[in-house]
Amino acid sequence: MSARYFGAAVTRVEDPRLLTGRGRYVDDMEFPGLLHAAFVRANVAHGRIRSVDTSDARGMPGVVAIYTMADFASIAQGPMPPMAPHPLLPTPITYHPLAVEEVRHVGEAIAIVLAADRARAEDAAAAVMLDIEELPAVADAVLAAKAGAPRADSRRPSNIAATMKAGFADCGAVFANADHVLTESFDIHRGGCHSMECRGVVASVDPHSDVLTLSTSSQSPYMVRRHLASYLNRDESQLHVMTPDVGGGFGPKANVYPEEFAVALAALKTGRPVKWIEDRQEHFVATTQQRGQVWTLDVAFDNDGRMRAIRGHCVHDNGAYAPYGLILPATALASFPGPYALEALDLTVDVVLTNLVPTSPVRGACRPNAAFVLERLADRIARHLGIDRDEVRRRSFVRAEQMPYLTGMKARDGSPISYDSGDYIAALDLVLDKVDAAGFEARRAAAAERGKLLGLGIASCVEDTGLGPFEGASVRVTPAGKVIVSTGASSQGQGHRTAFAQIAADALGVELNDVTVETADTAKFPLGISTIASRIAVTAGSSVELAAQKVRAKAIAFASHKLEVSEEDLELEGGAVRVKGVAGLNVSLSEIARTLAGNAGMGLPGGMDPDLAATAYFNSTALTFAYGANACEVEIDPETGDVRVVRYVVVHDCGKLINPLIVDGQIRGGVVHGIGNALFERMIHDEAGQPLTTTYADYFLPLASEMPSIEVHHIETPSPRNPIGVKGAGEGGTIPAAACVISAVEDALGADAPFIHLHPISPQQVMKWIEASGSQSQEVAGTP
Amino acid sequence: MKPPPFQYHRPQTREELGALLANLDNVKILAGGQSLMPMLNLRVVAPDHLIDINRIPELAGIRETTDGIEIGAMTRQADILASPIIRDRLPLLARALEHVGHIQTRSRGTIGGSCCHLDPSAEQPAICAALDAEFVAIGPKGRRVIAAADWFQGMLQSALDDLEFLEAVRFKPWAKGHGYGFAEYARRHGDFAISGAAALLEADGGGSITRAALLVFGVEEAPRRLSEAEAALVGQNIGEIALAPILDAARALHPMEDVQVTADYRRHLAGTLLGRAVREACVSREQRQ
């Protein structure tokens, strides 16, 4: 049967509910006797806790209890389990649910206050007297990596938590015979994720069953269950975790957080439901951040612009804890060599502890960092040789006929990384065509007439997606003939319900609105991992397809038996199995489901198994590689240094599109994230680790008014590595975007301007570059 | 981000408001709330009493008077922006209001609230300074009219005393067909500006400038009129303004500095933006003749 929904730009089934205020988020959950939590948080970046005096605060109106970690000793104690243990971190660096002895960043939770409402809880939190002996803090990873720097964690001998290496072949030999070698340093700044909904969790204990239930705004409810069960020494059957509607995740909500544990402990201790809703100020100091890295790289290349080898070093700002192990720096390394067919690579990353909020993956997860340095190096080579930037790429990219291409690198599990399919040069050609690169110089000249500097930027990327091992799905037909899809994959607004329903509806010949999708409730589906790494379409999407096909086969077998017609002559259409070409000869899914639901004393027809349902776990054993080529134009006001992105064009290949509308939205949102990284978002700390940008008046999250319209064009190269031919699409917009914008800014500033090695850039920095390059227009006296 | 405890009052008349101010200590007046509510939620202010003046109808409205225009302190920015009277007679105010926040915040934010809060980067008090507005205050002794030159007492500090409230702002419009210009630079639309500038010009039939106002804001603690440069403009021909001394005047100021923006950059912007405002004023005067 041909696909009716798969590939169609179906409007999202989630939207009418979410857009009319009928979404149900953690904060919408009410319980009798609910207590509201606020946290007492560290006000210094590094210090030894001498005492926490709650005596005044405990007596304040509405306050029910104030706990520190010591108060939970009878329930659980010790540091939280690591989410991703790593041999290079034999001693995990994880939080306690509430800080014990030492605090290591501003915002670390020390005590939990429970009160009748949040305002009273905050009043009391402000009245808790903290006596903290301030210890030397280090807020800069490069300084922290130096000998003699203050130690971010007093227990550890060095701030360098781990040194990771990656590479292949003999760099020395390639550098020795390359025509050119250049060295550049890059400084990529730290920023946040800033999902519209902050984090939040509500915990309650059923007094009859003793089941602890958490509703949490998380990308990883099953990880919360796994690690909290282990911490509490409970069987997983006694812990029920679900995610209601979640207003964005973008990576940080994949972590299991101290607040989730502390709220659970408080509910167990009091026996009452406890809710904590992170406010935006807390989000700035307690939700993981990302991207702080300083790279120094040598690149070897030939006279024709072919990039041949890269070697170098990275200082990775890990922050104060490593709840997610070394996933983030490992991802930075695994993102090389990007689209470039390098002969050799030799990289080292020092993972450095600082007294700042921990870093963990944020949309792109260090892939944008790798794309930034690779694309900047390609631009640098072009500039050095005086050839076009696209020529460097054309001569250096992996070519279509090399697919599948072994990059030389290894995946997380040690298997060789092999790009599955794609044509990176075709994508570059297409984006240059779509942006009308040929007409750019005329546009630049026209802008100059208006006193503006116009620049064209390009950037490409390859993105590993579909990270294994699995997300499962079950598909079940109810006696009414409706279809229930259930999966452990949590959703943060990506449109999973629509996409999965499209897949199931096609397989079962029903309408989209006959399908209900349930996500991420440990009571409804037994296993799940995380919605991360652009993996859900590949893993859960494939599982929905496999489970739905099993149900389809069962329905056909049933109908074949009942109608005494060969299976080949049957098809699913209109909610029934029918005989091809014979009107009226059919069996409805409803009848099959009712029959297979069983009747007392009656056998099932044809000796079939009960229930018109199936479960599947697609085991994603090899990554799928999406890729993209971007081009953009920026306009600079040479009198203010203002940079405005005026055009942005994306060519993206994520294999088969389940729903182009959803993919386009993912790409556009991703580009906005990248433009924010390039031009706006800067998380500033002073030398003592105090954050200085903790409101949106100071931290410039981009607004729609500053964004260009973003054109998206697709190439569809089906992935051979899963049954539906898809690759991930959640991060491909972000990965090359900062590199693309910076490439355009540098182009606008002209050949005499300095090479740009950092982001975000500010207008005053741009003014300095303009002054340095002499491209400032002269102020003219008189009227225009 | 919940406010500390306070007692809430909602007077219905100016008299009730005056009585509350006379009898209560540690008071904050809630106008449109676009600055005060975040400040409360961030706990940077902790008043014992919050007096909500949104239900005093006499405090809102735009009136043409015999010698000008009076805008009630509680008039919403969106209503000022939509007013044909303002567009016709105080076009600089309308021009600047387009840069104030967003449509949602302008629907709540008031001119009086902004003029009493006095953020150095706020557009409305800056325009009041450019137009030599008068601030009508009501206190225990009755009404008091405060000239714009006296209104600004420093960072976030107006000339109101603790027992007074702002009733209205009075403007004397410039001659019909005057030139006006406004320019500001903010990282995102609707943000408080890093710097901004405004210019007003009148000229005679031969194009000789007869009156000028030049102002920069967001640079020092309060909006700054450049009176020497204004005086130097009078008598110049509007088609041949010597712009360089004006820019020099803007760049001779002592700008504020913060973690994002250096004084040098603010100084540079002040000159650039004032130049743009003056050019725009020249063009608008020509178009409005």
Side-chain angles (χ1 to χ4, degrees), chain B residues 181-198:
Chain B
F182 180 85
E184 72 167 43
Y185 183 59
R187 293 299 310 279
R188 298 169 300 187
H189 179 85
D191 280 359
F192 279 122
I194 298 172
S195 288

Side-chain angles (χ1 to χ4, degrees), chain A residues 39-56:
Chain A
F39 286 93
V40 179
R41 295 183 180 278
N43 53 7
V44 297
H46 194 195
R48 189 168 294 118
I49 302 171
R50 286 206 195 100
S51 70
V52 181
D53 180 356
T54 61
S55 50
D56 285 353

Side-chain angles (χ1 to χ4, degrees), chain A residues 119 122-123 279 281 637 639-640 642 679-680 692 696 698-701 705-706 763-764 767 779 782-783, chain B residues 1-2 5 42-43 185 187-189 238-239 241 247 251 259-262 265 268-269 272 276 282:
Chain A
E122 288 188 21
D123 293 344
D279 68 32
Q281 284 230 297
D637 179 341
E639 294 180 343
T640 62
D642 184 54
L679 298 179
F680 293 99
L692 302 177
Y696 288 142
D698 305 307
Y699 183 91
F700 300 133
L701 206 61
S705 48
E706 276 58 58
Q764 61 191 353
M767 275 313 299
E779 274 163 348
T783 53
Chain B
M1 294 182 73
K2 303 289 181 204
L42 293 168
R43 296 186 177 230
Y185 183 59
R187 293 299 310 279
R188 298 169 300 187
H189 179 85
I238 201 158
I241 289 175
L247 307 194
R251 287 173 179 162
V259 295
Q260 316 253 23
V261 182
T262 61
Y265 181 61
H268 167 84
L269 274 185
T272 298
R276 289 182 180 182
C282 293

